[in-house]
């Protein structure tokens, strides 16, 4: 069996020696252990904060990436690889990626704002930039809404974080505002009684705050009345539709005419 001269292993191979390689490997192992311990410690610290779990995950992933990059730079220095050029290349690459992904980064920043400030939660009914729907998923880049007519809409978090938003669910109740018109011939007391009866027939309306009925406008051919009723968010649509149907029923029972704009055409026969 041939003998191996260990002294020859210390000779240079492409500028690298066994001592340099061993030193780099040991440094790499130490760095990896340090990264593991630091991430474990950071995970414990984050778990004690009030940050959303998804934010904790993203923060941990970002810091882990930075630590791995730092590890690569340290090991490269141990191998006598010029780190100045490496860092410069990394900086230029990061700048290029940042410029190319400006919108994505804006959405990510918006997602972090949403997850930390909690303007809405999954299941809330919200309206933003003219789009209304139930929040189905909150991602780091987009938030997904389900509209009442069954469409799934993806809204960029950048837009959500910077636009005016209405959350119809967060207070635990919604108000139904229903306008109805009645003939000038119908006494106000009769109309309000018919409206009150319709409210009593409608299920799931809240007693507190109490419903209210007001005479709100004198139109060209009718008097306008407005009903204000409160309901839990999950019962809003069913209660609103039921109230409209009940109003038609109670108005017919009370003999109150629901007026509407119409055009009467009279044809006069000319016998001359």
């Amino acid at each position: 069996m041939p003998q191996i001269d260990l002294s020859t292993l210390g000779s240079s191979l492409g500028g690298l020696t066994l001592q340099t390689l061993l030193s780099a490997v040991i440094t790499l192992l130490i760095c990896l252990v340090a990264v593991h311990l630091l991430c474990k410690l950071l995970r414990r610290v984050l778990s004690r904060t009030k940050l959303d779990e998804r934010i904790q995950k993203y923060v941990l992933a970002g810091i882990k990436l930075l630590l791995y990059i730092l590890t690569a730079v340290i090991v490269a220095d141990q191998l006598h690889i010029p780190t100045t050029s490496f860092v410069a290349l990394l900086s230029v690459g990061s700048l290029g990626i940042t410029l190319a992904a400006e919108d994505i980064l804006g959405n990510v920043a918006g997602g972090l704002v949403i997850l930390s400030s909690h303007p809405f939660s999954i299941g809330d009914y919200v309206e933003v930039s003219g789009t209304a729907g139930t929040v189905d998923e909150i991602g780091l880049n987009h938030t997904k809404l389900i509209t009442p007519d069954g469409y799934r809409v993806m809204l960029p978090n950048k837009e959500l974080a910077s636009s005016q938003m209405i959350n119809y669910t967060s207070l635990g109740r919604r108000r139904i505002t229903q306008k109805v018109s009645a003939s000038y011939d119908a006494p106000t007391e009769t109309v309000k009684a018919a409206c009150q009866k319709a409210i009593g027939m409608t299920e799931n309306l809240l007693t507190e705050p109490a419903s209210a009925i007001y005479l709100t406008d004198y139109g060209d051919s009718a008097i306008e009345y407005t009903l204000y009723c409160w309901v839990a968010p999950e019962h809003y649509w069913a209660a609103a539709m039921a109230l409209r149907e009940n109003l038609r029923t109670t108005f017919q029972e009370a003999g109150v005419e629901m007026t509407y704009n119409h055009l009467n055409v009279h044809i006069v026969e000319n016998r001359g």
Side-chain angles (χ1 to χ4, degrees), residues 74-186:
I74 294 174
V75 173
D77 184 66
Q78 287 287 324
L79 295 174
H80 305 297
I81 298 175
T83 57
T84 304
S85 300
F86 176 76
V87 173
L89 181 61
L90 183 63
S91 301
V92 173
S94 300
L95 178 60
I97 293 174
T98 301
L99 294 176
E102 182 178 356
D103 289 338
I104 296 177
L105 294 175
N107 289 332
V108 170
L112 293 175
V113 170
I114 291 172
L115 291 173
S116 60
S117 60
H118 301 288
F120 53 80
S121 303
I122 293 177
D124 286 358
Y125 188 83
V126 301
E127 179 179 351
V128 57
S129 300
T131 301
T134 302
V135 180
D136 181 58
E137 182 180 336
I138 305 173
L140 193 60
N141 195 36
H142 290 82
T143 295
K144 299 175 183 178
L145 304 182
I146 303 297
T147 64
D149 46 359
Y151 294 107
R152 195 177 197 188
V153 180
M154 296 178 62
L155 295 177
N157 287 334
K158 180 180 179 180
E159 179 180 339
L160 281 172
S162 60
S163 301
Q164 179 181 1
M165 183 196 63
I166 303 174
N167 190 330
Y168 293 97
T169 307
S170 59
L171 295 180
R173 64 177 185 267
R174 290 188 63 180
R175 190 179 73 177
I176 299 174
T177 303
Q178 179 62 55
K179 298 181 182 296
V180 63
S181 61
S183 169
Y184 272 98
D185 296 332

Side-chain angles (χ1 to χ4, degrees), residues 201-223:
M201 294 169 58
T202 304
E203 296 182 353
N204 297 317
L205 295 182
L206 301 178
T207 57
E208 183 63 34
S211 301
I213 306 165
Y214 298 102
L215 191 159
T216 51
D217 191 27
Y218 293 100
D220 294 335
S221 58
I223 299 177

Side-chain angles (χ1 to χ4, degrees), residues 9-113:
L9 294 178
S11 61
S12 176
L13 289 175
L16 298 178
T17 64
L18 178 59
Q19 182 179 0
T20 302
L21 290 174
L22 288 176
S23 176
V25 170
I26 293 173
T27 301
L28 176 62
L29 292 176
I30 293 175
C31 288
L32 291 178
V33 172
V35 169
H36 175 74
L37 294 176
L38 287 173
C39 290
K40 187 175 181 179
L41 177 62
L42 180 61
R43 188 180 294 108
R44 290 182 179 179
V45 173
L46 290 174
S47 64
R48 297 177 182 176
T49 66
K50 297 181 179 180
L51 290 176
D52 188 274
E53 290 184 2
R54 283 165 292 188
I55 295 182
Q56 296 180 24
K57 181 178 68 175
Y58 296 135
V59 169
L60 185 62
I63 292 178
K64 185 182 292 187
L65 177 60
L66 292 176
L67 290 175
Y68 281 143
I69 293 175
L70 181 61
T71 298
V73 173
I74 294 174
V75 173
D77 184 66
Q78 287 287 324
L79 295 174
H80 305 297
I81 298 175
T83 57
T84 304
S85 300
F86 176 76
V87 173
L89 181 61
L90 183 63
S91 301
V92 173
S94 300
L95 178 60
I97 293 174
T98 301
L99 294 176
E102 182 178 356
D103 289 338
I104 296 177
L105 294 175
N107 289 332
V108 170
L112 293 175
V113 170

